[in-house]
Amino acid sequence: MKAEMDKIVTLSDGDSTAELQKYLSSLSNDELITVITNGALKGKKVGSMIKGIFKGSPSNSTEGSNRRLLVYQHCIPLCESGDLQTEVAADIIGLLMLETHTLTGSCLAQLASLFVEAIKVGKMGSGKSLELFPTVLTALSACEALSYGKGELNGEEYKKQLINSLCSSRWDPHCVIHLTTMFRDVPLSSEELQFVVEKVLRMFTKLDLQEIPPLVYQLLLLSAKGCKKQILEGIIGYFKEQDIHQEEEQKHGESLDLEVQSIPQDQLRHVEGTAILHIVFAVRLDHDLGREFLKSIKTSYGDLCPFRVALLLSVARIQRYEEQVFDLLKGAIIKSFKDEQLQQGSKFLQDLLPGHCSVAQMILDTVSNSVFGWDHVTQGLVQLGFFLMDNFGPKPGPFGKITEVSASIARTPTQLACKLGGQVLLHGFKMHEPIRGEILEQVLNRLVSKTASPVSHYLDLFSDIVISAPMILLESSSKVTETFDNLSYLPLATVQGLLKAVQPLLKVSMSLKDALILVLRKAMFSSQLDGRKSAVTGFLLLLKNFKVLGSLASSQCSQAISSSQIQVDVHSRYNSAANEAFCLEILSSLRRCLSQQADVRLMLYEGFYDVLRRNSQLASSIMQTLFSQLRRYYEPEQDLLPPVKLEPCITALGDQVYLQEPLAHLVSCTVHCLLWLQNMHRSARSNADDSDDEVEEEEGYQSELQTILESMTRRMTKSELEDFELDKSAEFSMGSSVGVKNNIYAVLVMGLYEVLMEFSFTKANYSKSHFEELLELFNRYHKLSEILKEKSGKGRGPMQKTPRSLLSLGFISTLLTVLFRDSTQSREEALSVLRSSGEFVRYALSVAVQKIQQLEETGHAEGPDGQNTDRTFRFLCDMTSVLMWRYTNIPSAVEDAGKKEKRSSLSLMCLEGLLRIFTTCQQRYPDRMSQLLSTMDVSEDNEEPDNGSATEMNFFYIRQFQRALFTQLSGDEEDFISKEAQLLVSILSVLSRQLKPSSQQFVQMITWTVKVCKETSFEDPAFSKGLLSLLFSLHTLYKSPVSLLLELCQDIHSQLGDIDQDVEVEKQSHFAIINMKTATTAALLVLSQVGRVLDEVDWLIARKKSQASSEKLGSGEATQTAGQQDPIEKAVTLQLGTLLTALNELVQTALLPGTGTITLLRELSRTYTILTTLVKYYIQVCASQHGALPARFEKLVKLSGSHLTPQCYSFITYAQSGELSGGGADDKKKKKRNEVNTAASAKLLRETKAIPNVIFSIEQYEKFLITLSKKSKVNLMQYMKLSTSRDFRINTATLDAALQEQHDSDEPTESQEAEETQEPKQKKRKQ
């Protein structure tokens, strides 16, 4: 064989082609094949030989072209067999490619079929020879005519047929990548490309996971030809499915069939990471691909999945897409939260739509997935986290004031989005080391730089980071120390939050602690008041948290921040000695503050008690500090009155008077510290009998303080107001410096009275004489507060707010309990002293309500234990039980007999307290509501709640309040106390929020509410408003409220009468609560509810629209059968139908001019806008599907044309004329009308805008109806009446009257004419 081979090579090198042809003709096909095979296997000279064969086989002769074809047919499988060396195979294919264009059409066709067959059978494993296929196909498509079957096709068509048959046959998974690579070189029409892409995407699931990234890469290269969207969607869809499988496997564990081989999670994530890299690389190079990707996300927010989110975040690293990506994500997140909120608030939507896919969850999934080496995603996650926190964090209040609201539970979509940003950053911080530094730096930078807006959300994040990873933070402690340097310039709230967050680190890092102390010392001498306050805050926190050995471990003390992860022995010998020196040094620094402004001193007094409780070894220093401070203002002479010097408590600057020493707070702090210490010693003494000198020393100043306080109490009871220069004749106006001084004095004296009341109560030990002394203190307090109230009521200057009570929350809770529920025989006599004073009981209740309100607004109360959430919650529980007992056991009817006072009764105050407690509990401690209710033991004679479940218990109390309300409603209207009924309704609505809408109790609650609304006919607008609001809030969670709205509208119409006075409205009364007095209020409530229903309908239509457009883009598979209507479309049509009927009633109602009319007009224009949206949706459907319009929709259009539009126009006429139905003589009527006109003229501007809006929306609606009629070939306009011309309107009745008058006299006609002609002009101007 070698000889033949050499001969061919030699002849081809020579000049004589004829000889070569002759020699080749002498060889048989088999011989030629053997020569080629041998040459190829040995790899020597095979290229030259094939060149020679081609040279000796001219393509214009049949023999030559057949021989060429033979070479091709033999070499292709040979190269594919894998027996040849790579270079040899590449050489052969290269040669064959060069000669392809010389083959005849039929040869090319045979060759192409050979390829297709080989692919079908799966012989194209190595893909070497596939490089030749594009050349064959390109040559083929250039052919003029090829025989195909019995006829002929041109090259292009033939190629199309080939590709089609290739894509519809089975591919061997091994050659998918080679085929995809090959198609890149084939010129394809868009249709052919689509075939190919669809086929490749179908093959994804059959491939091994490791082969996916290279295939993705090839597909992206292929996308340069087109089908970009399809390729991206396909890749993303594949990974989305894989993620879902993975999730299900994790959920169900081993329970799934083992036949399906599961993919290990880490492997899947690594493959996804690589795919994301490929896609981002492709987007960098091909901007059209990027545009297509972002466009696909804009059109369908609903298709987001963790993979897509990760891809988006990676694309965000390309600068030109960064802004777009974050805006998209921001939109998707907010939309997702809003949709979720809408669905949760409406049973109608819940029934109609399946569960909601949460974008937030996807983003968090992306964070956890990114652990698997997705470094290209983590950067985007950090940016996203801060983007959300910056955009959706709390905003500064009006005039740039920073209102720091302590974090309650995130409820609104913006709050939830901000919280999501924080979660992303926190999880990112825990999982990824490389981004920790950046996250920390950015958080701290924002704390320092964002002084003009609240930073509570960043503080929360920082605190979470510290708690979750304290040791990691110590590595970056330099960043924290840098932040410390700015402490004295930061707002106080930021400083407090920051120091609280850093607390756990200070215990472990000496350097941090030293840095902080240096900064705080500097801040002590800051020129800014806030800087000094920050220093006090910082020092107090340090004192609280660095325990000195031997401190009594008070059981009540609970640490604010758990640093459970830092296992450092703070109590070791060395530490405690160092701590003691350290704490005493701090105390000496703090003593300097006692000569500073009142605000600084105040902070100190409020903080000392907590320090003492946490660090009782510091007692002697703290008490001595307080003692020496108190002696400055104490009058030691026992016979002198008053016992305190008020002069040094104030200071004057120019003509301004300021408070210098908050004396009452100082005494309060002293009292609380003293009482606590005495308690501790008492319990310590009962445990151990040994006594030290130190204890004696402590006892010394304790008894001295005790004497001072007792003497103060005794002398304060004797002091008259004149002793403080505060009698009735004193001036209290805030305009003059004397008035300001007197006000300060009054507040100080009242505060002192309160503190001493608490002191003497605790010391009294239920002795009658002590309680009489306490009452004497109260009477003086009361007298002074009455004078203040009276004076501030009269004063022209700014109103003085009632000062905050200085009684502690714990004391109030104890006081209420003993006043109302203590039935111990031995205390009876002493307590009767307090109980007999109605004013004192009322005062105790009002302070309780004030304290609860403070808790509700800020999350903590002033005074000792006010910051400790567990203790405040316990006090709340105690108060709840007392207030509940007091309210249920002493009926208000008994209490109010004979007393018709303006101020609210005790029962009312109890109710208000309960309402505030329930609201506070729902906002601040949502998980502990059942705990709160379980502590409320109601009176013995009532049946007890079975503590079986929280719902049962909740419902038990709901029934209690229902009973109370029922008692109110079953009496006469004269005995009806509106305020009490309103409070009861508010409490019921708070408690009913705890019921699950699916529970039996919820249904009972709603049935009861409907019953009350139907049967109560009291004419009290405020009460009816509360009751109807409760009804609506329950009803939306139970089912759609449209039928209820219709009945209410009919009632309102029949109560207020028709716009046309001659029409007699049929008397209907579904709900007795709607009567002449309450109808207007009810109408406003009904309209706001109509607004909610319209929101839901609008949301549903928008959802259907986006679905329709995405289906249209995908493929028109979603065709509906004519008989069935989509459930969402059906629901929308039914809702709108009932709403139109309800509005038809309201539009004919004679509403008073003003808010009601304007709101109705506004809702009408919204209704028409939404009807227009629905019409547009059907235009879109008709365009894409050519289906018939649903019969229900036609009915809706008919209803709008016959029932609403004509009435709208007459209502507009009525609203513009402003005619009021009022009886009486003509002149009376005119006078009344003029009055109304002047009042309404201010509102005219607003009204004029509302009317054109309605008219415009009606006309828009009719315009699109015409379009739809043309598209659907259904004449929808037959139901519409032509609208009246509004520029010029002749009112025939008025005209007749005018003509009649003209006969009687001529003079009035002129004025009449003037009036008549003026009005239309005015209208023209309005429009």
Side-chain angles (χ1 to χ4, degrees):
M1 286 292 144
K2 191 170 185 308
E4 283 94 339
M5 186 172 160
D6 290 341
K7 183 140 191 200
I8 294 172
V9 174
T10 322
L11 284 172
S12 77
D13 289 345
D15 297 333
S16 157
T17 320
E19 234 175 288
L20 180 59
Q21 281 177 5
K22 193 170 157 196
Y23 177 68
L24 286 173
S25 308
S26 69
L27 291 172
S28 69
N29 283 356
D30 290 343
E31 285 174 329
L32 193 59
I33 287 172
T34 320
V35 171
I36 295 175
T37 311
N38 285 351
L41 287 172
K42 288 180 182 160
K44 288 178 186 167
K45 299 188 184 171
V46 66
S48 324
M49 183 180 70
I50 291 176
K51 268 187 201 162
I53 297 175
F54 282 149
K55 193 173 178 184
S57 318
S59 53
N60 45 17
S61 71
T62 319
E63 189 193 351
S65 64
N66 283 345
R67 197 177 301 126
R68 282 181 175 233
L69 181 58
L70 181 71
V71 172
Y72 273 88
Q73 284 173 335
H74 176 60
C75 284
I76 291 169
L78 187 63
C79 291
E80 216 35 65
S81 65
D83 299 337
L84 306 187
Q85 293 171 4
T86 330
E87 301 84 50
V88 177
D91 275 353
I92 295 176
I93 294 292
L95 278 171
L96 296 181
M97 279 167 92
L98 288 172
E99 294 293 331
T100 312
H101 64 279
T102 58
L103 294 174
T104 58
S106 56
C107 292
L108 284 169
Q110 277 177 287
L111 256 189
S113 310
L114 171 86
F115 270 108
V116 173
E117 286 310 314
I119 292 169
K120 283 182 183 175
V121 193
K123 282 188 183 165
M124 287 287 167
S126 69
K128 291 266 182 349
S129 53
L130 273 176
E131 293 174 23
L132 186 54
F133 194 27
T135 329
V136 174
L137 285 175
T138 315
L140 242 182
S141 59
C143 295
E144 292 297 321
L146 297 163
S147 59
Y148 181 79
K150 289 181 181 169
E152 277 193 349
L153 282 177
N154 68 9
E156 276 296 334
E157 284 300 313
Y158 193 86
K159 183 185 77 171
K160 191 173 181 180
Q161 291 295 344
L162 270 176
I163 290 176
N164 204 346
S165 80
L166 182 58
C167 290
S168 36
S169 61
R170 182 180 287 118
W171 288 5
D172 181 18
H174 293 301
C175 61
V176 176
I177 295 177
H178 301 308
L179 284 167
T180 315
T181 317
M182 178 219 51
F183 276 118
R184 278 170 44 206
D185 302 327
V186 180
L188 296 169
S189 68
S190 58
E191 204 178 329
E192 291 163 354
L193 182 63
Q194 205 164 339
F195 277 145
V196 173
V197 169
E198 277 172 19
K199 174 67 184 170
V200 176
L201 290 173
R202 282 201 301 275
M203 289 303 296
F204 260 79
T205 45
K206 300 191 174 61
L207 285 183
D208 189 33
L209 194 62
Q210 293 308 324
E211 291 181 346
I212 297 286
L215 181 56
V216 166
Y217 180 69
Q218 293 303 334
L219 261 180
L220 289 166
L221 290 174
L222 189 61
S223 74
K225 290 172 177 283
C227 283
K228 296 183 193 320
K229 181 167 188 221
Q230 203 180 347
I231 288 174
L232 280 173
E233 289 302 313
I235 296 170
I236 293 169
Y238 166 75
F239 284 117
K240 186 176 178 178
E241 262 172 53
Q242 294 303 322
D243 281 347
I244 293 170
H245 284 313
Q246 186 74 44
E247 210 175 312
E248 280 174 2
E249 267 175 39
Q250 283 179 340
K251 253 187 220 155
H252 307 301
E254 302 304 313
S255 62
L256 278 178
D257 301 341
L258 289 173
E259 294 159 30
V260 187
Q261 199 214 336
S262 60
I263 301 169
Q265 190 189 13
D266 55 343
Q267 205 179 337
L268 174 66
R269 297 283 173 255
H270 284 303
V271 167
E272 285 180 340
T274 319
I276 289 174
L277 274 178
H278 285 323
I279 297 175
V280 174
F281 184 65
V283 168
R284 264 182 209 279
L285 299 175
D286 180 358
H287 291 311
D288 289 341
L289 190 65
R291 260 197 299 272
E292 201 56 63
F293 173 52
L294 294 180
K295 204 161 91 187
S296 74
I297 285 176
K298 266 183 205 157
T299 50
S300 54
Y301 275 142
D303 292 345
L304 276 178
C305 58
F307 180 78
R308 202 182 285 249
V309 171
L311 184 51
L312 262 176
L313 290 170
S314 295
V315 170
R317 292 183 71 184
I318 304 170
Q319 203 174 359
R320 66 183 291 168
Y321 297 120
E322 185 178 353
E323 202 175 320
Q324 269 174 294
V325 167
F326 286 125
D327 284 344
L328 269 177
L329 279 170
K330 172 178 159 185
I333 289 166
I334 277 293
K335 186 174 183 307
S336 162
F337 282 132
K338 280 184 179 163
D339 291 356
E340 209 169 336
Q341 209 175 27
L342 201 62
Q343 267 176 281
Q344 281 170 355
S346 157
K347 185 77 168 87
F348 164 65
L349 292 181
Q350 287 166 16
D351 292 345
L352 207 53
L353 294 166
H356 176 78
C357 71
S358 155
V359 174
Q361 195 46 54
M362 286 171 198
I363 290 174
L364 292 175
D365 286 346
T366 308
V367 180
S368 45
N369 293 350
S370 64
V371 178
F372 299 97
W374 293 9
D375 296 341
H376 42 284
V377 180
T378 48
Q379 196 51 48
L381 282 169
V382 174
Q383 273 176 287
L384 175 69
F386 282 112
F387 179 79
L388 290 175
M389 289 184 84
D390 291 343
N391 278 292
F392 297 119
K395 297 281 177 275
F399 308 113
K401 277 185 190 157
I402 301 178
T403 43
E404 283 285 351
V405 181
S406 74
S408 58
I409 287 55
R411 283 195 171 88
T412 62
T414 41
Q415 287 172 332
L416 288 165
C418 174
K419 184 181 164 194
L420 173 67
Q423 285 173 316
V424 167
L425 291 171
L426 180 62
H427 294 324
F429 187 89
K430 287 181 189 171
M431 289 175 186
H432 300 288
E433 197 173 333
I435 55 175
R436 280 176 191 155
E438 189 189 346
I439 292 180
L440 189 62
E441 193 168 343
Q442 294 224 37
V443 170
L444 292 172
N445 283 350
R446 281 169 168 78
L447 288 180
V448 173
S449 59
K450 285 188 179 279
T451 45
S453 53
V455 288
S456 50
H457 49 310
Y458 293 115
L459 284 170
D460 293 342
L461 173 62
F462 182 56
S463 160
D464 289 342
I465 288 177
V466 172
I467 290 171
S468 63
M471 294 326 247
I472 296 170
L473 256 186
L474 285 181
E475 294 161 18
S476 332
S477 58
S478 59
K479 286 182 180 134
V480 182
T481 22
E482 270 173 44
T483 315
F484 284 163
D485 293 340
N486 297 298
L487 272 191
S488 53
Y489 309 109
L490 295 182
L492 189 61
T494 310
V495 175
Q496 286 173 331
L498 183 65
L499 292 177
K500 224 175 211 166
V502 186
Q503 204 61 57
L505 299 180
L506 298 177
K507 294 193 169 174
V508 226
S509 163
M510 290 300 282
S511 58
L512 259 186
K513 186 173 82 172
D514 295 343
L516 177 62
I517 286 173
L518 274 175
V519 169
L520 291 176
R521 276 196 192 143
K522 273 187 205 160
M524 257 342 233
F525 299 98
S526 160
S527 56
Q528 301 293 321
L529 179 63
D530 261 7
R532 297 198 294 279
K533 281 185 176 177
S534 302
V536 174
T537 309
F539 279 141
L540 285 170
L541 261 172
L542 287 172
L543 283 180
K544 262 184 245 178
N545 287 288
F546 283 89
K547 280 215 166 175
V548 180
L549 195 70
S551 285
L552 299 159
S554 72
S555 55
Q556 307 105 315
C557 137
S558 77
Q559 194 162 348
I561 288 181
S562 72
S563 46
S564 54
Q565 298 178 355
I566 306 180
Q567 298 300 330
V568 174
D569 183 11
V570 184
H571 305 280
S572 66
R573 266 277 161 220
Y574 154 73
N575 262 346
S576 63
N579 278 350
E580 183 161 15
F582 164 68
C583 290
L584 291 173
E585 185 187 351
I586 291 180
L587 270 173
S588 68
S589 291
L590 283 176
R591 283 198 189 105
R592 290 201 193 97
C593 300
L594 292 174
S595 56
Q596 294 192 1
Q597 279 91 335
D599 287 3
V600 184
R601 300 185 191 191
L602 194 62
M603 292 188 73
L604 206 54
Y605 299 149
E606 284 178 350
F608 268 160
Y609 176 75
D610 281 343
V611 171
L612 185 67
R613 281 216 13 231
R614 301 281 276 281
N615 228 340
S616 58
Q617 279 302 83
L618 300 173
S620 61
S621 316
I622 289 178
M623 295 311 283
Q624 275 165 2
T625 309
L626 288 171
F627 184 42
S628 60
Q629 186 72 359
L630 186 58
R631 281 167 75 172
R632 291 185 191 176
Y633 306 100
Y634 173 66
E635 180 56 69
E637 275 298 324
Q638 293 298 316
D639 302 337
L640 283 180
L641 293 181
V644 286
K645 307 170 188 164
L646 292 182
E647 286 292 327
C649 292
I650 56 169
T651 175
L653 190 67
D655 56 350
Q656 296 282 337
V657 179
Y658 298 105
L659 173 67
Q660 178 74 24
E661 172 68 66
L663 182 62
H665 286 83
L666 167 63
V667 179
S668 163
C669 175
T670 316
V671 166
H672 286 301
C673 290
L674 183 67
L675 294 175
W676 186 79
L677 273 175
Q678 288 175 341
N679 269 342
M680 290 311 288
H681 285 307
R682 213 169 294 133
S683 54
R685 210 173 293 141
S686 59
N687 294 344
D689 300 326
D690 55 335
S691 59
D692 288 320
D693 304 341
E694 197 178 319
V695 173
E696 277 171 24
E697 176 206 332
E698 281 188 18
E699 298 279 307
Y701 67 74
Q702 278 185 26
S703 60
E704 201 167 335
L705 266 175
Q706 177 88 15
T707 322
I708 287 183
L709 289 170
E710 281 169 0
S711 144
M712 211 187 257
T713 311
R714 195 183 65 251
R715 284 147 72 191
M716 282 297 272
T717 50
K718 292 180 186 162
S719 304
E720 293 297 329
L721 290 182
E722 286 77 6
D723 297 330
F724 299 106
E725 304 169 14
L726 295 173
D727 54 357
K728 280 198 170 177
S729 57
E731 186 188 345
F732 285 102
S733 77
M734 296 301 282
S736 68
S737 56
V738 181
V740 173
K741 184 189 85 169
N742 286 343
N743 259 310
I744 293 177
Y745 278 1
V747 172
L748 284 178
V749 173
M750 280 163 72
L752 272 176
Y753 280 134
E754 286 195 307
V755 175
L756 293 174
M757 274 190 262
E758 185 166 342
F759 174 69
S760 51
F761 179 87
T762 320
K763 282 284 150 216
N765 203 3
Y766 299 99
S767 84
K768 190 177 175 188
S769 56
H770 276 99
F771 276 179
E772 281 167 351
E773 194 175 63
L774 188 152
L775 211 56
E776 188 56 44
L777 280 172
F778 169 71
N779 289 335
R780 305 213 173 265
Y781 166 87
H782 185 64
K783 192 172 170 190
L784 182 52
S785 78
E786 287 300 305
I787 290 178
L788 260 186
K789 266 185 210 158
E790 184 188 325
K791 293 281 184 181
S792 68
K794 283 182 193 167
R796 294 249 174 113
M799 281 283 285
Q800 174 75 3
K801 284 192 304 205
T802 44
R804 281 208 172 140
S805 169
L806 285 182
L807 301 180
S808 65
L809 195 59
F811 169 64
I812 276 294
S813 134
T814 316
L815 185 61
L816 288 182
T817 314
V818 298
L819 280 177
F820 294 139
R821 300 222 47 186
D822 196 328
S823 50
T824 321
Q825 208 60 47
S826 55
R827 301 175 178 178
E828 192 62 42
E829 190 187 359
L831 285 174
S832 62
V833 174
L834 298 181
R835 288 174 183 162
S836 61
S837 160
E839 285 300 345
F840 183 70
V841 178
R842 166 182 296 279
Y843 160 74
L845 269 174
S846 65
V847 173
V849 173
Q850 182 195 15
K851 291 279 176 195
I852 299 164
Q853 186 177 354
Q854 199 183 342
L855 257 179
E856 181 186 356
E857 287 164 6
T858 59
H860 51 80
E862 283 178 355
D865 293 331
Q867 304 280 354
N868 183 332
T869 44
D870 291 335
R871 291 177 70 87
T872 46
F873 182 72
R874 212 170 66 222
F875 295 143
L876 274 187
C877 291
D878 297 345
M879 285 199 277
T880 314
S881 116
V882 174
L883 295 175
M884 188 71 194
W885 183 89
R886 167 75 179 69
Y887 179 71
T888 43
N889 284 21
I890 303 177
S892 47
V894 175
E895 176 191 333
D896 289 339
K899 270 201 301 188
K900 286 284 174 201
E901 293 187 38
K902 272 190 178 175
R903 54 188 187 169
S904 49
S905 67
L906 296 183
S907 288
L908 270 186
M909 290 168 82
C910 289
L911 264 190
E912 194 183 339
L914 283 170
L915 172 61
R916 285 196 182 283
I917 289 176
F918 292 145
T919 328
T920 309
C921 191
Q922 244 181 19
Q923 280 182 353
R924 306 274 164 194
Y925 318 95
D927 335 337
R928 300 168 89 173
M929 194 72 179
S930 53
Q931 192 185 336
L932 178 85
L933 292 173
S934 61
T935 55
M936 287 165 48
D937 48 335
V938 189
S939 64
E940 289 68 35
D941 51 330
N942 278 335
E943 77 266 30
E944 273 297 305
D946 51 336
N947 289 349
S949 72
T951 317
E952 278 297 327
M953 203 169 0
N954 194 355
F955 194 60
F956 171 78
Y957 289 106
I958 287 181
R959 281 208 305 274
Q960 294 274 356
F961 290 115
Q962 283 177 345
R963 223 169 282 155
L965 184 58
F966 203 70
T967 317
Q968 274 287 334
L969 298 176
S970 49
D972 297 336
E973 190 150 353
E974 293 83 61
D975 302 335
F976 174 69
I977 305 166
S978 167
K979 186 91 173 71
E980 184 171 343
Q982 286 170 46
L983 282 169
L984 283 167
V985 170
S986 305
I987 289 179
L988 283 170
S989 67
V990 172
L991 288 178
S992 63
R993 277 180 222 147
Q994 299 292 316
L995 295 173
K996 289 191 180 66
S998 52
S999 65
Q1000 185 59 43
Q1001 288 87 345
F1002 188 85
V1003 180
Q1004 283 172 297
M1005 175 78 198
I1006 200 165
T1007 323
W1008 180 85
T1009 315
V1010 172
K1011 182 171 179 277
V1012 171
C1013 289
K1014 286 195 167 173
E1015 293 171 5
T1016 310
S1017 56
F1018 289 167
E1019 295 187 343
D1020 188 308
F1023 168 66
S1024 72
K1025 184 179 180 181
L1027 197 56
L1028 284 172
S1029 304
L1030 172 65
L1031 177 65
F1032 286 141
S1033 65
L1034 293 171
H1035 214 286
T1036 43
L1037 294 173
Y1038 178 60
K1039 63 174 189 201
S1040 170
V1042 279
S1043 48
L1044 176 74
L1045 292 176
L1046 175 58
E1047 291 182 355
L1048 285 165
C1049 289
Q1050 288 168 345
D1051 290 356
I1052 293 170
H1053 189 185
S1054 71
Q1055 286 295 338
L1056 289 178
D1058 198 274
I1059 4 179
D1060 187 348
Q1061 291 169 16
D1062 308 333
V1063 175
E1064 187 63 43
V1065 187
E1066 173 193 350
K1067 278 288 173 213
Q1068 284 180 316
S1069 184
H1070 302 96
F1071 291 92
I1073 193 144
I1074 289 177
N1075 44 50
M1076 272 308 285
K1077 276 199 175 160
T1078 60
T1080 315
T1081 322
L1084 281 171
L1085 273 174
V1086 165
L1087 284 170
S1088 74
Q1089 211 52 33
V1090 166
R1092 276 196 63 166
V1093 177
L1094 287 175
D1095 285 339
E1096 290 173 10
V1097 170
D1098 198 13
W1099 183 76
L1100 283 172
I1101 300 174
R1103 201 181 161 95
K1104 283 300 295 174
K1105 264 183 138 171
S1106 67
Q1107 271 178 15
S1109 59
S1110 59
E1111 279 166 9
K1112 188 174 158 193
L1113 287 170
S1115 56
E1117 289 162 21
T1119 48
Q1120 285 174 11
T1121 46
Q1124 282 181 319
Q1125 193 187 356
D1126 177 88
I1128 295 185
E1129 287 178 27
K1130 177 182 168 184
V1132 163
T1133 322
L1134 290 174
Q1135 291 283 82
L1136 283 173
T1138 321
L1139 264 192
L1140 290 184
T1141 324
L1143 285 170
N1144 166 45
E1145 292 284 342
L1146 272 189
V1147 167
Q1148 297 176 57
T1149 307
L1151 290 171
L1152 296 174
T1155 346
T1157 313
I1158 294 171
T1159 319
L1160 176 56
L1161 288 168
R1162 209 174 287 142
E1163 292 306 332
L1164 280 172
S1165 72
R1166 268 203 73 195
T1167 309
Y1168 278 109
T1169 313
I1170 285 168
L1171 281 169
T1172 313
T1173 319
L1174 187 61
V1175 171
K1176 285 179 183 170
Y1177 165 70
Y1178 278 115
I1179 293 176
Q1180 185 183 337
V1181 171
C1182 283
S1184 61
Q1185 293 173 9
H1186 308 296
L1189 285 179
R1192 274 200 188 86
F1193 175 69
E1194 284 189 49
K1195 275 187 192 162
L1196 180 69
V1197 174
K1198 182 178 179 182
L1199 187 70
S1200 70
S1202 60
H1203 275 59
L1204 198 55
T1205 314
Q1207 265 77 8
C1208 271
Y1209 284 125
S1210 33
F1211 183 75
I1212 289 171
T1213 313
Y1214 163 78
Q1216 280 181 327
S1217 66
E1219 283 180 2
L1220 290 171
S1221 49
D1226 252 12
D1227 55 338
K1228 248 190 190 176
K1229 196 169 174 180
K1230 271 187 184 168
K1231 191 177 172 191
K1232 191 175 180 187
R1233 182 172 162 182
N1234 285 341
E1235 279 173 22
V1236 173
N1237 278 352
T1238 47
S1241 61
K1243 291 190 179 170
L1244 197 66
L1245 280 169
R1246 279 191 296 172
E1247 280 182 17
T1248 48
K1249 200 164 182 189
I1251 291 172
N1253 282 349
V1254 176
I1255 293 166
F1256 174 71
S1257 50
I1258 294 177
E1259 288 171 355
Q1260 282 293 95
Y1261 171 54
E1262 290 175 359
K1263 172 185 152 188
F1264 282 101
L1265 269 182
I1266 296 171
T1267 317
L1268 181 61
S1269 302
K1270 287 176 187 164
K1271 281 264 165 63
S1272 64
K1273 312 284 188 292
V1274 177
N1275 180 12
L1276 294 168
M1277 288 307 288
Q1278 61 188 2
Y1279 309 119
M1280 295 290 150
K1281 293 191 176 64
L1282 271 176
S1283 58
T1284 47
S1285 163
R1286 284 167 311 280
D1287 293 345
F1288 180 74
R1289 194 188 296 126
I1290 296 178
N1291 189 336
T1292 45
T1294 323
L1295 192 63
D1296 289 345
L1299 289 170
Q1300 190 61 43
E1301 263 182 55
Q1302 204 168 19
H1303 285 301
D1304 301 345
S1305 73
D1306 279 344
E1307 201 186 326
T1309 9
E1310 288 169 13
S1311 61
Q1312 182 85 13
E1313 257 172 32
E1315 206 175 294
E1316 287 291 325
T1317 49
Q1318 232 173 351
E1319 209 173 46
K1321 264 188 206 163
Q1322 224 176 353
K1323 282 202 185 94
K1324 267 188 188 169
R1325 193 168 64 243
K1326 270 192 272 183
Q1327 290 171 358

